[in-house]
Amino acid sequence: MEKFELHILGCGSALPTTRHFATSQVVNMRDKLFMIDCGEGAQMQLRRSKLKFSRLNHIFISHLHGDHCFGLPGLISTFGLLGRTAELHIHSPKGLEELLAPMLAFFCKTLKYQVIFHEFETKQPTLVYEDRSLTVTTIPLKHRIPCCGFLFSEKQGPNHIIRDQIDYYQVPVYELNRIKNGCDYTTPEGEVIANNVLTYPAAPPRRYAYCSDTIYRKQIVPQISGVDLLFHEATFAESELARAQETCHSTARQAAQIALDADVKQLVIGHFSARYEDEQVLLEEAKAVFEPTILAHENLCISL
């Protein structure tokens, strides 16, 4: 099975602590790296996770709060120091280019690569990236400012050839791509060999959903239904529900309820408030509703 990994670089919330870095993650899809949010220290954590800077070409920013994007200027500058020449694409809600342009013009005058900004709307799901193996679609969230999560969806792969059957029916090499893509094979004598005799299906495509920052929002359930892995913010425990509602964040119990309603396979919670020196209380609260829940922590790697 092809590589599809989630690397947690930081899982803290806005107030810095010695326990957690600000929010940032990397999805490794077949050795292509996609960063989600870029809080302070993201480039240091990228090093610690032993991920290659050169394989990161797309960054997705959920919203324009500092703990999700203050790491960008340093990362862009470091790419320049490393001699990068490949384009860097940054996808975000409207306003990021306007904010970063003066800083880049002052500190990054000699970049030998181009930083390209792509703005997206946050009110409805939007396809923001696609290649041969992956699509990335926004997940509309509700926060104090425009905010979106991201759904990473692997595309269905071609069928796998059954070599013994191919040899038995003496199928020519030039027919193999057609057969992998679902076509039957007709022998020189006119006999039709059904595709399911010659192939077996590829593994079901995998999906990862990222939802941070947001108030409890059940409207996202249909879009993330059945995903292999869900990251959902759990900034507070249920005892701080009023504070969660005031700041447009979720509790651990609410994150678990979303996972339960969406029938996801696994939940990882993060974006922890600095008030919790031990996040075990959040884990226990979530697991009481949705048992397959784990805590995010720096340099955690989850394979889908």
Side-chain angles (χ1 to χ4, degrees), residues 284-302:
E284 292 173 359
E285 182 174 292
K287 286 175 76 72
V289 176
F290 186 75
E291 198 282 331
T293 301
I294 62 173
L295 289 172
H297 63 79
E298 277 69 15
N299 307 116
L300 172 66
C301 176
I302 305 172

Side-chain angles (χ1 to χ4, degrees), residues 265-278:
K265 293 180 181 176
Q266 186 176 29
L267 170 66
V268 55
I269 55 174
H271 199 267
F272 306 122
S273 168
R275 72 187 62 204
Y276 302 104
E277 293 192 8
D278 183 355

